[in-house]
Amino acid sequence: MSGSAIRPTERTAARIVPANAAGIAEGARLLRAEKLVAFPTETVYGLGADASSNAAVARIYAAKGRPAFNPLIAHVATLAEASRHGVFSAAALRLAEKFWPGPLTLVLPVAATNLVCELARAGRETVALRIPAHKNALALIAAAGLPVAAPSANRSGRISPVTARHVAEDLGPDVDLILDGGACPVGVESTIIACLGETTQLLRPGGLCRALIEEALGLALPERVASHEIVAPGALASHYAPSALVRLNAERLEPGEAGLDFGGRFSQGPATLDLSPAADLDEAAANLFAFLRELDSRGPVSIAVAPIPRHGIGEAINDRLKRAAAPRS
Ligand code: TXA
Ligand code: MG
């Protein structure tokens, strides 16, 4: 009997398999069986479940410790499929045709034919849809034949995962399978745009830059969302929080601080990681969450962050850092 006992390490470890054909097939089978499957996208790793099943989606909220008022993004493989779930305005269609697959999520009025369950939508009459541009994600969604609800695969309020190991560290055995497709190339989450009737609004800056969206639409998106307007409920003030305090726009390191540098501003040493020594914003975005995790794991009192330009994907980087530094409840 004792020979078959599960050792503690086996009980607490998550299962990580390569995102090859066998891994994708198993992931798809588990999704159809209402299990949780973490998978890579070009932005961050997602914690996937059958978006049409309240029972499956309930497991996402439980595993993340996510408040039930915060709706999820449904991931699909084709625009035809997305059109079954959401009502596309002319602006929404233009963005979908231009930027999908890609780091863009559209919040649309929910379609009568939609399959995305009420729990995934947090009871709203809108639905968030995305076609990711990662071949493993697309293969998994297509093989499952389901819309896949997937928030970032981290515990609620923590730093988003950009490797399979990050997912395992955060969620452990609460996720049934983790598909390892390597590091996520973009590194920050998708840009969220609400296209509701005549209104087109930026709800969350992300991997797709504002300027590209404005160019496609031929209009300027309002700078910030007023509190009475549509919001992404997940865009809460404190989020992406490491254990250490975060100090923004630091010109130099104080004693005992860890440094998150950009463009070689701090004196380099063991306490510092540079998001991009060459001051390249795309490289900085790809390194952001992994470097925050790494510095945090060293247990500093605070992490000092060098100033980072706000243009391009810098808008999303600054958004995430602002929330990492926000007062915590
Ligand atoms: O890149 C991404 O978007 C990743 C990958 C896995 O696709 N997903 C992701 O999901 O970042 P999550 O749950 O961490 O963030 C989704 C955001 C939340 O802030 C949520 O409030 C918002 O989308 N959201 C979802 N449905 C919405 C809706 N119907 N109306 C407004 N906001 C919505
Ligand atoms: Mg998230």
Side-chain angles (χ1 to χ4, degrees):
M1 289 296 281
S2 63
S4 64
I6 298 171
R7 291 195 305 273
T9 48
E10 289 173 349
R11 221 175 20 239
T12 53
R15 238 186 101 224
I16 305 182
V17 301
N20 55 20
I24 300 281
E26 182 179 5
R29 193 159 39 75
L30 289 171
L31 286 175
R32 286 195 299 271
E34 303 187 310
K35 305 284 190 204
L36 298 184
V37 178
F39 62 97
T41 80
E42 77 279 26
T43 57
V44 300
Y45 272 72
L47 178 62
D50 176 357
S52 68
S53 158
N54 274 310
V57 167
R59 302 190 61 216
I60 292 182
Y61 284 94
K64 277 186 67 95
R66 180 174 176 118
F69 61 78
N70 190 4
L72 306 175
I73 299 169
H75 297 68
V76 295
T78 64
L79 182 50
E81 210 188 319
S83 308
R84 293 176 56 200
H85 307 309
V87 180
F88 283 72
S89 65
L93 195 58
R94 188 168 321 150
L95 294 178
E97 285 175 339
K98 192 156 175 84
F99 299 116
W100 276 352
L104 170 70
T105 294
L106 295 174
V107 171
L108 307 175
V110 71
T113 50
N114 118 85
L115 290 177
V116 180
C117 68
E118 208 166 299
L119 191 55
R121 291 183 283 110
R124 294 174 169 238
E125 290 307 308
T126 55
V127 62
L129 296 167
R130 171 157 116 85
I131 303 181
H134 191 294
K135 67 178 195 311
N136 298 151
L138 287 171
L140 178 70
I141 298 162
L146 301 162
V148 177
S152 50
N154 52 282
R155 297 239 183 251
S156 193
R158 310 294 297 183
I159 301 168
S160 296
V162 293
T163 66
R165 186 173 56 77
H166 294 160
V167 180
E169 283 168 5
D170 249 34
L171 298 174
D174 290 349
V175 50
D176 298 298
L177 186 72
I178 301 172
L179 294 174
D180 187 349
C184 303
V186 174
V188 292
E189 299 87 341
S190 60
T191 302
I192 305 181
I193 303 281
C195 298
L196 303 173
E198 297 299 297
T199 317
T200 302
Q201 251 175 11
L202 177 69
L203 301 189
R204 176 177 75 180
L208 182 66
C209 298
R210 165 197 290 274
L212 292 174
I213 297 169
E214 291 180 338
E215 185 187 291
L217 292 175
L219 56 82
L221 295 165
E223 197 54 43
R224 68 190 357 262
V225 181
S227 58
H228 66 278
E229 292 177 281
I230 314 146
V231 291
L236 304 170
S238 172
H239 208 103
Y240 309 101
S243 303
L245 297 172
V246 176
R247 186 168 72 88
L248 300 181
N249 295 316
E251 297 293 339
R252 67 190 63 78
L253 289 192
E254 303 296 341
E257 277 188 327
L260 187 63
D261 203 358
F262 178 80
R265 179 180 293 255
F266 300 152
S267 53
Q268 302 302 303
T272 293
L273 291 176
D274 197 328
L275 288 169
S276 174
D280 176 310
L281 287 169
D282 290 328
E283 182 185 23
N287 286 329
L288 178 67
F289 291 143
F291 283 14
L292 266 177
R293 275 178 188 259
E294 168 57 30
L295 291 177
D296 199 35
S297 74
R298 301 176 187 176
V301 174
S302 61
I303 298 173
V305 185
I308 296 171
R310 311 191 79 83
H311 60 84
I313 203 166
E315 183 179 9
I317 297 173
N318 279 286
D319 169 80
R320 305 307 187 267
L321 286 170
K322 190 176 92 196
R323 292 197 266 140
R328 306 182 189 157
S329 50

